[in-house]
Coordinates of all heavy atoms in Angstrom, one line a residue:
L1 N -90.7 -9.3 3.1 CA -89.6 -9.7 4.0 C -88.3 -9.4 3.4 O -87.3 -9.3 4.2 CB -89.8 -11.2 4.4 CG -88.7 -11.8 5.3 CD1 -88.8 -11.1 6.7 CD2 -88.9 -13.3 5.5
T2 N -88.1 -9.4 2.1 CA -86.8 -9.2 1.5 C -86.0 -8.1 2.0 O -84.8 -8.4 2.4 CB -86.9 -9.2 0.0 OG1 -87.5 -10.4 -0.5 CG2 -85.6 -9.0 -0.7
P3 N -86.5 -6.9 2.1 CA -85.6 -5.8 2.7 C -85.2 -6.1 4.1 O -84.1 -5.8 4.5 CB -86.5 -4.5 2.6 CG -87.6 -4.9 1.6 CD -87.7 -6.4 1.7
E4 N -86.1 -6.5 4.9 CA -85.8 -6.8 6.3 C -84.8 -8.0 6.5 O -83.9 -7.9 7.3 CB -87.1 -7.1 7.1 CG -88.0 -6.0 7.2 CD -87.4 -4.8 8.0 OE1 -86.9 -5.0 9.1 OE2 -87.6 -3.7 7.4
Y5 N -85.0 -9.0 5.6 CA -84.1 -10.1 5.6 C -82.7 -9.7 5.3 O -81.7 -10.1 5.9 CB -84.6 -11.2 4.7 CG -83.7 -12.4 4.6 CD1 -83.9 -13.5 5.5 CD2 -82.7 -12.6 3.7 CE1 -83.2 -14.6 5.5 CE2 -82.0 -13.7 3.6 CZ -82.2 -14.8 4.5 OH -81.4 -15.9 4.5
E6 N -82.6 -8.8 4.2 CA -81.2 -8.4 3.8 C -80.6 -7.5 4.8 O -79.4 -7.6 5.1 CB -81.4 -7.6 2.5 CG -81.7 -8.6 1.3 CD -82.0 -7.9 0.0 OE1 -82.0 -6.6 0.0 OE2 -82.3 -8.6 -1.0
K7 N -81.4 -6.7 5.5 CA -80.8 -5.8 6.6 C -80.3 -6.7 7.7 O -79.3 -6.5 8.3 CB -81.8 -4.8 7.1 CG -82.1 -3.7 6.1 CD -82.9 -2.6 6.8 CE -84.4 -3.0 6.8 NZ -85.2 -1.9 7.3
A8 N -81.1 -7.8 8.1 CA -80.7 -8.7 9.1 C -79.5 -9.4 8.8 O -78.6 -9.6 9.6 CB -81.9 -9.7 9.4
A9 N -79.3 -9.9 7.5 CA -78.1 -10.6 7.1 C -76.9 -9.7 7.2 O -75.8 -10.1 7.7 CB -78.3 -11.0 5.6
Q10 N -77.0 -8.4 6.9 CA -75.9 -7.5 7.0 C -75.5 -7.2 8.5 O -74.4 -7.2 8.9 CB -76.2 -6.2 6.4 CG -76.3 -6.3 4.9 CD -76.8 -5.0 4.2 OE1 -77.1 -4.0 4.8 NE2 -76.9 -5.0 2.9
A11 N -76.6 -7.1 9.3 CA -76.4 -6.9 10.8 C -75.7 -8.1 11.4 O -74.8 -7.9 12.2 CB -77.7 -6.6 11.5
I12 N -76.1 -9.3 11.0 CA -75.5 -10.5 11.6 C -74.1 -10.7 11.1 O -73.2 -11.0 11.9 CB -76.4 -11.7 11.2 CG1 -77.7 -11.6 12.0 CG2 -75.7 -13.0 11.5 CD1 -78.8 -12.5 11.5
A13 N -73.8 -10.4 9.9 CA -72.4 -10.5 9.4 C -71.5 -9.5 10.1 O -70.3 -9.8 10.3 CB -72.4 -10.2 7.9
A14 N -72.0 -8.4 10.5 CA -71.2 -7.3 11.2 C -71.1 -7.5 12.7 O -70.2 -6.9 13.3 CB -71.8 -6.0 10.9
D15 N -71.8 -8.5 13.2 CA -71.8 -8.7 14.7 C -71.1 -9.9 15.1 O -71.5 -11.0 14.9 CB -73.3 -8.8 15.2 CG -73.4 -8.8 16.7 OD1 -72.5 -9.2 17.4 OD2 -74.5 -8.4 17.2
D16 N -69.9 -9.7 15.6 CA -69.0 -10.9 16.0 C -69.6 -11.7 17.1 O -69.2 -12.9 17.3 CB -67.6 -10.4 16.4 CG -66.8 -9.8 15.2 OD1 -67.1 -10.2 14.1 OD2 -65.9 -9.0 15.5
A17 N -70.6 -11.2 17.8 CA -71.2 -12.0 18.9 C -72.2 -13.0 18.4 O -72.6 -13.9 19.2 CB -71.8 -11.0 19.9
I18 N -72.6 -12.9 17.2 CA -73.6 -13.8 16.6 C -72.9 -14.8 15.7 O -72.3 -14.5 14.7 CB -74.7 -13.1 15.8 CG1 -75.4 -12.1 16.7 CG2 -75.6 -14.1 15.2 CD1 -76.4 -11.2 15.9
D19 N -72.9 -16.1 16.1 CA -72.2 -17.1 15.4 C -73.3 -17.8 14.5 O -73.7 -18.9 14.7 CB -71.6 -18.2 16.3 CG -70.8 -19.2 15.6 OD1 -70.4 -18.9 14.4 OD2 -70.6 -20.3 16.1
A20 N -73.7 -17.0 13.4 CA -74.7 -17.5 12.5 C -74.6 -16.8 11.2 O -74.0 -15.7 11.2 CB -76.1 -17.3 13.1
K21 N -75.1 -17.3 10.2 CA -75.2 -16.7 8.9 C -76.6 -16.9 8.3 O -77.2 -17.9 8.6 CB -74.2 -17.3 7.9 CG -72.7 -17.1 8.4 CD -71.8 -17.4 7.3 CE -70.3 -17.3 7.7 NZ -69.9 -16.7 8.8
L22 N -77.0 -15.9 7.5 CA -78.3 -16.1 6.8 C -78.0 -16.4 5.4 O -77.1 -15.8 4.8 CB -79.1 -14.8 6.9 CG -79.8 -14.4 8.2 CD1 -80.5 -13.1 8.1 CD2 -80.8 -15.5 8.6
A23 N -78.7 -17.4 4.9 CA -78.6 -17.8 3.5 C -80.0 -17.8 2.8 O -81.0 -18.1 3.5 CB -77.9 -19.2 3.4
K24 N -80.0 -17.5 1.6 CA -81.3 -17.4 0.9 C -81.3 -18.5 -0.2 O -80.4 -18.7 -1.0 CB -81.4 -16.1 0.2 CG -82.7 -15.8 -0.5 CD -82.6 -14.3 -1.0 CE -83.8 -14.0 -1.8 NZ -83.7 -12.6 -2.3
V25 N -82.4 -19.3 -0.2 CA -82.6 -20.3 -1.2 C -84.0 -20.0 -1.9 O -85.0 -19.8 -1.2 CB -82.6 -21.7 -0.6 CG1 -83.0 -22.8 -1.6 CG2 -81.3 -22.0 0.1
D26 N -84.0 -20.1 -3.2 CA -85.3 -19.9 -3.9 C -85.9 -21.3 -4.1 O -85.5 -22.1 -4.9 CB -85.0 -19.3 -5.3 CG -86.3 -19.1 -6.1 OD1 -87.3 -19.6 -5.7 OD2 -86.2 -18.3 -7.1
A27 N -86.9 -21.6 -3.2 CA -87.5 -22.9 -3.2 C -88.3 -23.2 -4.5 O -88.7 -24.3 -4.7 CB -88.4 -23.0 -2.0
T28 N -88.6 -22.2 -5.2 CA -89.3 -22.4 -6.5 C -88.3 -23.0 -7.5 O -88.7 -23.7 -8.5 CB -90.0 -21.2 -7.1 OG1 -89.0 -20.2 -7.4 CG2 -91.0 -20.6 -6.1
V29 N -87.0 -22.8 -7.3 CA -86.0 -23.3 -8.2 C -85.4 -24.6 -7.5 O -85.3 -25.6 -8.2 CB -84.9 -22.3 -8.4 CG1 -83.7 -22.9 -9.2 CG2 -85.4 -21.1 -9.1
E30 N -85.1 -24.5 -6.3 CA -84.5 -25.6 -5.5 C -85.6 -26.5 -4.9 O -85.8 -26.6 -3.7 CB -83.6 -25.1 -4.4 CG -82.5 -24.3 -5.0 CD -81.5 -25.0 -5.8 OE1 -81.4 -26.3 -5.7 OE2 -80.8 -24.4 -6.6
K31 N -86.4 -27.1 -5.7 CA -87.6 -27.9 -5.3 C -87.3 -29.1 -4.4 O -88.0 -29.4 -3.4 CB -88.4 -28.3 -6.5 CG -89.0 -27.1 -7.1 CD -89.8 -27.4 -8.4 CE -90.3 -26.1 -9.0 NZ -91.0 -26.2 -10.2
D32 N -86.1 -29.7 -4.7 CA -85.7 -30.9 -3.8 C -85.4 -30.4 -2.4 O -85.8 -31.1 -1.4 CB -84.5 -31.6 -4.4 CG -84.8 -32.3 -5.7 OD1 -86.0 -32.6 -6.0 OD2 -83.9 -32.7 -6.4
L33 N -84.8 -29.3 -2.2 CA -84.5 -28.8 -0.9 C -85.8 -28.4 -0.2 O -86.0 -28.7 1.0 CB -83.6 -27.5 -0.9 CG -82.1 -27.8 -1.1 CD1 -81.4 -26.5 -1.2 CD2 -81.6 -28.5 0.1
A34 N -86.7 -27.8 -0.9 CA -88.0 -27.4 -0.3 C -88.7 -28.6 0.1 O -89.3 -28.6 1.2 CB -88.8 -26.6 -1.4
T35 N -88.7 -29.6 -0.6 CA -89.4 -30.9 -0.2 C -88.7 -31.5 1.0 O -89.4 -31.9 1.9 CB -89.4 -31.9 -1.4 OG1 -90.2 -31.3 -2.5 CG2 -90.1 -33.1 -1.0
K36 N -87.4 -31.6 0.9 CA -86.6 -32.2 2.0 C -86.9 -31.5 3.4 O -87.0 -32.2 4.4 CB -85.1 -32.1 1.7 CG -84.3 -32.7 2.8 CD -82.8 -32.6 2.5 CE -82.0 -33.2 3.6 NZ -80.5 -33.2 3.2
Y37 N -87.0 -30.2 3.4 CA -87.2 -29.4 4.6 C -88.7 -29.0 4.9 O -88.9 -28.2 5.8 CB -86.3 -28.2 4.6 CG -84.8 -28.7 4.7 CD1 -84.0 -28.5 3.7 CD2 -84.4 -29.4 5.8 CE1 -82.6 -29.0 3.7 CE2 -83.1 -29.9 5.9 CZ -82.2 -29.7 4.9 OH -80.9 -30.1 4.9
G38 N -89.6 -29.5 4.1 CA -91.0 -29.3 4.4 C -91.5 -27.8 4.1 O -92.4 -27.4 4.8
V39 N -90.8 -27.2 3.2 CA -91.2 -25.8 2.9 C -92.5 -25.8 2.1 O -92.6 -26.4 1.0 CB -90.1 -25.0 2.1 CG1 -90.6 -23.7 1.7 CG2 -88.9 -25.0 2.9
K40 N -93.6 -25.2 2.6 CA -94.9 -25.2 2.0 C -95.3 -23.8 1.7 O -96.2 -23.6 0.9 CB -95.9 -25.9 2.9 CG -95.6 -27.4 3.0 CD -96.6 -28.1 3.8 CE -96.4 -29.6 4.1 NZ -95.3 -30.3 3.7
G41 N -94.8 -22.8 2.4 CA -95.2 -21.4 2.1 C -94.0 -20.5 2.1 O -92.9 -21.0 2.4
F42 N -94.2 -19.3 1.6 CA -93.0 -18.4 1.4 C -93.3 -17.1 2.1 O -94.5 -16.6 2.0 CB -92.8 -18.2 0.0 CG -92.6 -19.5 -0.8 CD1 -93.6 -20.0 -1.6 CD2 -91.4 -20.2 -0.7 CE1 -93.4 -21.2 -2.3 CE2 -91.2 -21.4 -1.4 CZ -92.2 -21.9 -2.2
P43 N -92.4 -16.5 2.8 CA -91.1 -17.0 3.1 C -91.1 -18.0 4.2 O -91.9 -17.9 5.1 CB -90.3 -15.7 3.4 CG -91.3 -14.8 4.1 CD -92.6 -15.1 3.3
T44 N -90.1 -18.9 4.2 CA -89.9 -19.8 5.3 C -88.4 -19.7 5.7 O -87.5 -19.7 4.9 CB -90.1 -21.3 4.8 OG1 -91.5 -21.4 4.4 CG2 -89.8 -22.3 5.9
L45 N -88.2 -19.5 7.1 CA -86.9 -19.4 7.6 C -86.6 -20.7 8.4 O -87.5 -21.1 9.2 CB -86.7 -18.2 8.5 CG -87.0 -16.9 7.8 CD1 -86.9 -15.7 8.8 CD2 -86.0 -16.6 6.6
K46 N -85.5 -21.3 8.2 CA -85.0 -22.5 9.0 C -83.7 -22.1 9.7 O -82.9 -21.4 9.1 CB -84.8 -23.7 8.1 CG -86.1 -24.1 7.3 CD -87.0 -24.9 8.1 CE -88.1 -25.5 7.2 NZ -89.0 -26.4 8.0
F47 N -83.5 -22.7 10.8 CA -82.3 -22.5 11.6 C -81.6 -23.9 11.7 O -82.1 -24.9 12.3 CB -82.5 -22.0 13.0 CG -81.3 -21.8 13.8 CD1 -80.4 -20.8 13.6 CD2 -81.1 -22.6 14.9 CE1 -79.3 -20.6 14.3 CE2 -80.0 -22.5 15.7 CZ -79.1 -21.5 15.4
F48 N -80.3 -24.0 11.2 CA -79.5 -25.2 11.3 C -78.5 -25.0 12.3 O -77.7 -24.0 12.3 CB -78.9 -25.5 9.9 CG -79.9 -25.8 8.8 CD1 -80.4 -24.8 8.1 CD2 -80.2 -27.1 8.5 CE1 -81.4 -25.0 7.1 CE2 -81.1 -27.4 7.5 CZ -81.7 -26.4 6.8
S49 N -78.4 -25.9 13.3 CA -77.4 -25.7 14.4 C -76.4 -26.9 14.5 O -76.8 -28.0 14.3 CB -78.3 -25.7 15.7 OG -77.4 -25.6 16.8
G50 N -75.2 -26.5 14.8 CA -74.2 -27.5 15.0 C -73.9 -28.4 13.8 O -73.5 -29.6 14.1
G51 N -74.1 -28.0 12.6 CA -73.9 -28.8 11.5 C -74.9 -29.9 11.2 O -74.8 -30.7 10.3
D52 N -76.0 -29.9 12.0 CA -77.1 -30.9 11.8 C -78.0 -30.4 10.7 O -78.8 -29.6 10.9 CB -77.8 -31.0 13.1 CG -78.9 -32.1 13.0 OD1 -79.0 -32.7 11.9 OD2 -79.6 -32.4 14.0
V53 N -77.8 -30.9 9.5 CA -78.6 -30.5 8.4 C -79.9 -31.3 8.3 O -80.8 -31.1 7.4 CB -77.8 -30.7 7.0 CG1 -76.6 -29.7 7.0 CG2 -77.4 -32.1 6.8
D54 N -80.1 -32.3 9.2 CA -81.3 -33.1 9.1 C -82.5 -32.6 10.0 O -83.6 -33.1 9.8 CB -81.0 -34.6 9.5 CG -80.1 -35.2 8.4 OD1 -80.2 -34.9 7.2 OD2 -79.2 -35.9 8.8
A55 N -82.2 -31.7 11.0 CA -83.2 -31.4 11.9 C -83.2 -29.9 12.2 O -82.9 -29.4 13.3 CB -83.1 -32.2 13.2
P56 N -83.5 -29.0 11.2 CA -83.5 -27.6 11.5 C -84.7 -27.2 12.3 O -85.7 -27.8 12.3 CB -83.6 -27.0 10.1 CG -84.3 -28.0 9.3 CD -83.9 -29.3 9.8
S57 N -84.5 -26.0 13.0 CA -85.6 -25.5 13.8 C -86.4 -24.5 12.9 O -85.8 -23.8 12.0 CB -85.1 -24.6 14.9 OG -84.3 -25.4 15.8
D58 N -87.7 -24.5 13.0 CA -88.5 -23.5 12.3 C -88.5 -22.2 12.9 O -88.6 -22.1 14.2 CB -89.9 -24.0 12.1 CG -90.1 -25.2 11.3 OD1 -89.3 -25.3 10.3 OD2 -90.9 -26.1 11.5
Y59 N -88.4 -21.1 12.2 CA -88.5 -19.8 12.7 C -89.9 -19.3 12.7 O -90.6 -19.5 11.8 CB -87.7 -18.8 11.8 CG -87.8 -17.4 12.2 CD1 -87.1 -16.9 13.3 CD2 -88.6 -16.5 11.5 CE1 -87.1 -15.6 13.7 CE2 -88.7 -15.2 11.9 CZ -88.0 -14.7 13.0 OH -88.1 -13.4 13.4
S60 N -90.3 -18.8 13.9 CA -91.7 -18.4 14.0 C -91.8 -17.0 14.6 O -92.8 -16.6 15.1 CB -92.5 -19.4 14.9 OG -91.9 -19.5 16.2
G61 N -90.7 -16.3 14.5 CA -90.7 -14.9 15.1 C -91.2 -13.9 14.1 O -91.9 -14.2 13.1
G62 N -90.9 -12.6 14.4 CA -91.4 -11.5 13.7 C -90.7 -11.4 12.3 O -89.8 -12.1 12.0
R63 N -91.2 -10.5 11.5 CA -90.7 -10.3 10.2 C -89.9 -9.0 10.0 O -89.9 -8.4 8.9 CB -91.8 -10.3 9.2 CG -92.6 -11.6 9.2 CD -91.9 -12.7 8.7 NE -92.7 -13.9 8.5 CZ -92.3 -15.1 8.2 NH1 -91.0 -15.3 8.0 NH2 -93.1 -16.1 8.0
T64 N -89.2 -8.6 11.1 CA -88.4 -7.4 11.0 C -86.9 -7.7 11.2 O -86.6 -8.8 11.8 CB -88.8 -6.3 12.0 OG1 -88.6 -6.9 13.4 CG2 -90.3 -6.0 11.9
E65 N -86.1 -6.8 10.8 CA -84.6 -7.0 11.0 C -84.4 -7.3 12.5 O -83.7 -8.3 12.8 CB -83.9 -5.8 10.6 CG -82.4 -5.8 11.0 CD -81.7 -4.5 10.9 OE1 -82.3 -3.5 10.5 OE2 -80.5 -4.4 11.2
S66 N -84.9 -6.5 13.4 CA -84.5 -6.7 14.8 C -85.0 -8.0 15.4 O -84.3 -8.6 16.2 CB -85.1 -5.5 15.6 OG -86.5 -5.5 15.5
T67 N -86.2 -8.5 15.0 CA -86.6 -9.7 15.5 C -85.9 -10.9 15.0 O -85.6 -11.9 15.7 CB -88.2 -9.9 15.3 OG1 -88.5 -9.8 13.9 CG2 -89.0 -8.9 16.1
I68 N -85.5 -10.8 13.7 CA -84.7 -11.9 13.1 C -83.3 -11.9 13.8 O -82.8 -13.0 14.2 CB -84.6 -11.7 11.6 CG1 -85.9 -11.9 10.9 CG2 -83.5 -12.7 11.0 CD1 -86.0 -11.5 9.5
V69 N -82.7 -10.8 14.0 CA -81.4 -10.7 14.6 C -81.4 -11.2 16.0 O -80.6 -12.0 16.4 CB -80.8 -9.3 14.5 CG1 -79.5 -9.1 15.3 CG2 -80.5 -8.9 13.0
Q70 N -82.4 -10.8 16.8 CA -82.5 -11.2 18.2 C -82.7 -12.7 18.3 O -82.2 -13.4 19.1 CB -83.6 -10.4 18.9 CG -83.7 -10.8 20.4 CD -82.4 -10.5 21.1 OE1 -81.8 -9.5 20.9 NE2 -82.0 -11.4 22.0
W71 N -83.6 -13.3 17.4 CA -83.8 -14.7 17.4 C -82.5 -15.5 17.2 O -82.2 -16.4 17.8 CB -84.9 -15.0 16.3 CG -85.4 -16.4 16.4 CD1 -86.5 -16.8 17.2 CD2 -85.0 -17.5 15.7 NE1 -86.8 -18.1 17.0 CE2 -85.9 -18.6 16.1 CE3 -84.1 -17.8 14.8 CZ2 -85.8 -19.9 15.6 CZ3 -84.0 -19.1 14.2 CH2 -84.8 -20.1 14.6
L72 N -81.7 -15.0 16.2 CA -80.5 -15.7 15.9 C -79.4 -15.4 17.0 O -78.7 -16.3 17.3 CB -79.9 -15.2 14.5 CG -80.6 -15.9 13.4 CD1 -80.2 -15.2 12.1 CD2 -80.4 -17.4 13.3
R73 N -79.4 -14.2 17.6 CA -78.5 -14.0 18.7 C -78.7 -14.9 19.8 O -77.8 -15.5 20.4 CB -78.6 -12.5 19.1 CG -77.7 -12.1 20.3 CD -77.8 -10.7 20.6 NE -77.2 -9.9 19.6 CZ -77.8 -8.9 19.0 NH1 -79.0 -8.6 19.2 NH2 -77.1 -8.2 18.0
T74 N -80.0 -15.1 20.2 CA -80.4 -16.1 21.3 C -79.9 -17.5 21.0 O -79.4 -18.1 21.8 CB -81.9 -16.0 21.5 OG1 -82.3 -14.7 21.8 CG2 -82.3 -17.0 22.6
R75 N -80.1 -17.9 19.7 CA -79.8 -19.3 19.4 C -78.3 -19.5 19.1 O -77.8 -20.7 19.2 CB -80.5 -19.7 18.1 CG -81.9 -20.2 18.6 CD -83.0 -19.9 17.6 NE -84.3 -20.2 18.3 CZ -84.9 -19.3 19.1 NH1 -84.4 -18.2 19.4 NH2 -86.1 -19.6 19.6
S76 N -77.5 -18.5 18.9 CA -76.1 -18.7 18.7 C -75.3 -18.5 20.0 O -74.1 -18.7 20.0 CB -75.6 -17.7 17.6 OG -75.6 -16.4 18.1
M77 N -75.9 -18.3 21.1 CA -75.3 -18.2 22.4 C -74.9 -19.6 22.9 O -75.5 -20.6 22.5 CB -76.2 -17.5 23.4 CG -76.5 -16.1 23.1 SD -77.8 -15.4 24.1 CE -76.9 -15.2 25.7
P78 N -73.8 -19.7 23.6 CA -73.4 -21.0 24.1 C -74.4 -21.5 25.1 O -75.1 -20.7 25.8 CB -72.1 -20.7 24.9 CG -71.7 -19.3 24.6 CD -72.9 -18.6 23.9
P79 N -74.6 -22.9 25.1 CA -75.6 -23.4 26.0 C -75.3 -23.2 27.5 O -74.2 -22.9 27.9 CB -75.6 -24.9 25.7 CG -74.4 -25.2 24.9 CD -73.8 -23.8 24.4

């Protein structure tokens, strides 16, 4: 997933219509975060919305740049 994730991060950063950012956390190092957010397998993608750090959505989409970007584009649209 790493190459696709990196391409998706670049695409999202370049697209002003997407109000989202991708961040990477190494759960093998940041074990407290992994535990807090229920990360049990790798890779795991979480979506945090509106500053709510307590209830992220789980990503269950595809593992390609285009599916990650489309998933975030949909979620960053105004309600």
Side-chain angles (χ1 to χ4, degrees):
L1 179 64
T2 299
E4 294 298 312
Y5 182 86
E6 289 173 359
K7 289 190 284 187
Q10 291 172 359
I12 290 164
D15 189 333
D16 292 336
I18 301 175
D19 186 20
K21 298 196 182 342
L22 286 177
K24 185 175 170 181
V25 174
D26 184 343
T28 63
V29 174
E30 302 294 339
K31 294 179 181 175
D32 290 343
L33 277 177
T35 300
K36 178 178 180 177
Y37 294 113
V39 174
K40 297 185 182 0
F42 305 104
T44 297
L45 301 177
K46 301 278 186 175
F47 178 72
F48 296 85
S49 178
D52 184 0
V53 298
D54 294 322
S57 301
D58 290 326
Y59 175 78
S60 60
R63 302 290 190 189
T64 64
E65 171 196 358
S66 63
T67 56
I68 294 168
V69 170
Q70 185 57 41
W71 193 85
L72 283 171
R73 180 177 286 122
T74 301
R75 275 144 192 83
S76 69
M77 294 169 74

